[in-house]
Amino acid sequence: MLKASMNLTFAGLLVLSLGIFTSISIGAVSHILLVLGIICLIIHDPKKYLEELISRKHLVYSLGAFIAAIIVSVLFNWTDIERPLKNILKAKYFLIPLLSIPALSLLFKEHFDKKKLKILFYLFAIATTVATLSGIIGLYTGFNPVKFKAACHENRACGLYGMYMTYGYGISLFMVLSMGTLIYIKRFKEFISPALLIPVWIINLIGLILSYARGGWLGFFFGIPFFALKKNPKKFCLAVVFILISLIGAIAISPTLQTKFLTSREGSNNQRIAFYKTAIKAFQEKPVVGWGYKNYEPNVKALKKKYNIAYAHFGADAHNIFLEVMASTGIIGLLCFLYFLIVWGYEAYSGYTLVHLLSFPFIISICISGMVQNIFGDGENLFFIMLIWSLLCATPKERRQLA
């Protein structure tokens, strides 16, 4: 059963590497494989499974608290939610990565080698780049060759996603990790060739730019300096100042950027403000447990009309991860969510493995771009985010202090 667990867990990682930027259906298959791997490991040695899980107690407790808050928010709003059980089941995006920690940990410690790691790196890099290239071709030709259908948007790159926003914010996070592989190229070259990394970085950067996801741009550019925070705080401060000056200067002298950030996107900016106001009103009505996980968005139009907020005909999520959590799960959910992010951030900052070094800027990027987009609301991006979380949780303890 142990061998079956390890094979299923590795297969889950393979499928997830292939599917994160290509198909959410493939991502769902990865969860099935991971669940089967978890079950096999529990049957093989339930005591060892629990020991591995509890050994990461702060990471496990913080995410477990947020999962509990999700369930409680739905239970307290059960009669007001059209399909409450479906909303509870959405917690699987968090629960499966949490339960997979022991299987991943044992895989890395006892059943992993450089060959398997190379396969994962190459598969993820190539699949993501093919998705980006297909989206760029679709942007300029109107036809996405891999999806074999019309491009999802006439002016913005979408990769293989049906929504340009999902792609733009997801590829921003991918670019943060890609930047880290270039920064630590000496440590990564044994797993993936620099000859591949550089074109992968360039192509996906073009995809990020052409997605015109402004929050994604900010998350990427302001996430980069955090690679230097622990090792060289002075360089970190200089990098932040440089990016700020460069961004302000570029907008000041570039009519194109002025249009993208200000003029043509004024309506989008105002709509976001309206969503923020609505989320705050929703929280004021139900401050303790909120409206129920995934139940805020169905009530947005009614709330806008009730409080005479602009764009009352336009319903969507809060376009902000913190306001979304606050409105849907209340103050309990928000505190648990912040606890989850803080513990994850502290764990990443305090470690020295490649997973830790890449994870900290990744988390910062989530928080920055998440200020203007509910990136936890997209299943595709949530697969990606929670994969990075679970990989950090599963990093062998004995290797956490290696420089």
Side-chain angles (χ1 to χ4, degrees), residues 334-350:
L334 179 61
L335 291 175
C336 291
F337 183 65
L338 292 174
Y339 175 37
F340 158 66
L341 289 176
I342 291 169
V343 171
W344 185 15
Y346 174 79
E347 179 73 10
Y349 184 78
S350 62

Side-chain angles (χ1 to χ4, degrees), residues 297-325:
E297 185 175 344
N299 291 281
V300 167
K301 291 183 181 180
L303 284 165
K304 282 184 174 181
K305 291 177 182 177
K306 181 178 180 179
Y307 292 104
N308 195 29
I309 297 173
Y311 303 98
H313 63 287
F314 192 7
D317 59 46
H319 284 70
N320 178 297
I321 55 175
F322 303 101
L323 292 177
E324 178 71 25
V325 169

Side-chain angles (χ1 to χ4, degrees), residues 26 33 55 63 73 98 101 135 161 181 195 198 201 221 225 229 280 283 299 308 311 328 344 349 361 398:
I26 296 178
L33 292 169
S55 68
L63 182 57
S73 72
L98 186 152
I101 292 173
Y161 290 164
T181 60
I198 293 172
W201 189 87
F221 287 114
L229 178 60
I280 293 171
F283 171 70
N299 291 281
N308 195 29
Y311 303 98
S328 61
W344 185 15
Y349 184 78
E398 60 268 26

Side-chain angles (χ1 to χ4, degrees), residues 157-175:
C158 308
L160 294 180
Y161 290 164
M163 289 291 293
Y164 54 85
M165 295 291 280
T166 302
Y167 169 76
Y169 284 85
I171 206 65
S172 169
L173 295 175
F174 175 83
M175 285 304 301

Side-chain angles (χ1 to χ4, degrees), residues 63-356:
L63 182 57
F66 182 54
I67 293 171
I70 286 173
I71 296 171
V72 168
S73 72
V74 175
L75 292 177
F76 273 83
N77 291 279
W78 190 272
T79 58
D80 299 323
I81 300 175
E82 184 177 354
R83 298 172 66 183
L85 186 58
K86 181 180 178 181
N87 291 38
I88 288 179
L89 291 176
K90 291 291 184 181
K92 67 183 179 183
Y93 288 102
F94 302 102
L95 183 60
I96 293 174
L98 186 152
L99 296 178
S100 70
I101 292 173
L104 289 171
S105 177
L106 289 174
L107 176 67
F108 294 156
K109 286 195 293 187
E110 303 174 15
H111 303 271
F112 215 58
D113 53 36
K114 289 183 180 180
K115 183 180 178 180
K116 289 181 178 179
L117 192 56
K118 282 184 177 181
I119 292 172
L120 290 174
F121 272 124
Y122 276 89
L123 188 60
F124 188 32
I126 293 172
T128 302
T129 305
V130 168
T132 292
L133 278 172
S134 187
I136 293 173
I137 292 170
L139 175 63
Y140 287 103
T141 66
F143 183 78
N144 191 310
V146 174
K147 294 184 71 174
F148 209 69
K149 61 192 296 186
C152 84
H153 197 278
E154 59 182 10
N155 298 318
R156 302 173 73 169
C158 308
L160 294 180
Y161 290 164
M163 289 291 293
Y164 54 85
M165 295 291 280
T166 302
Y167 169 76
Y169 284 85
I171 206 65
S172 169
L173 295 175
F174 175 83
M175 285 304 301
V176 172
L177 297 183
S178 296
M179 192 71 207
T181 60
L182 292 177
I183 292 172
Y184 300 110
I185 189 65
K186 290 182 179 179
R187 296 179 64 177
F188 269 103
K189 64 182 180 181
E190 62 178 315
F191 306 119
I192 188 166
S193 169
L196 175 65
L197 275 178
I198 293 172
V200 163
W201 189 87
I202 293 172
I203 291 168
N204 286 289
L205 178 62
I206 294 171
L208 170 60
I209 293 170
L210 293 178
S211 72
Y212 295 111
R214 296 166 296 171
W217 292 353
L218 295 176
F220 169 61
F221 287 114
F222 284 102
I224 291 173
F226 285 87
F227 282 108
L229 178 60
K230 181 163 59 175
K231 188 175 181 179
N232 195 321
K234 184 177 179 180
K235 282 187 178 180
F236 163 76
C237 294
L238 289 173
V240 171
V241 172
F242 174 76
I243 291 173
L244 276 172
I245 294 174
S246 299
L247 180 61
I248 294 171
I251 294 175
I253 65 176
S254 172
T256 301
L257 287 178
Q258 289 172 13
T259 299
K260 294 300 179 184
F261 271 91
L262 303 172
T263 313
S264 70
R265 307 294 285 279
E266 184 177 358
S268 176
N269 295 340
N270 292 335
Q271 288 173 16
R272 273 186 167 81
I273 293 172
F275 286 128
Y276 299 162
K277 291 179 179 178
T278 308
I280 293 171
K281 289 295 184 182
F283 171 70
Q284 290 173 343
E285 283 200 11
K286 297 186 176 184
V288 181
V289 295
W291 289 70
Y293 187 65
K294 292 291 183 179
N295 190 47
Y296 163 68
E297 185 175 344
N299 291 281
V300 167
K301 291 183 181 180
L303 284 165
K304 282 184 174 181
K305 291 177 182 177
K306 181 178 180 179
Y307 292 104
N308 195 29
I309 297 173
Y311 303 98
H313 63 287
F314 192 7
D317 59 46
H319 284 70
N320 178 297
I321 55 175
F322 303 101
L323 292 177
E324 178 71 25
V325 169
M326 186 178 75
S328 61
T329 61
I331 191 64
I332 293 176
L334 179 61
L335 291 175
C336 291
F337 183 65
L338 292 174
Y339 175 37
F340 158 66
L341 289 176
I342 291 169
V343 171
W344 185 15
Y346 174 79
E347 179 73 10
Y349 184 78
S350 62
Y352 290 89
T353 70
L354 287 173
V355 176
H356 289 79

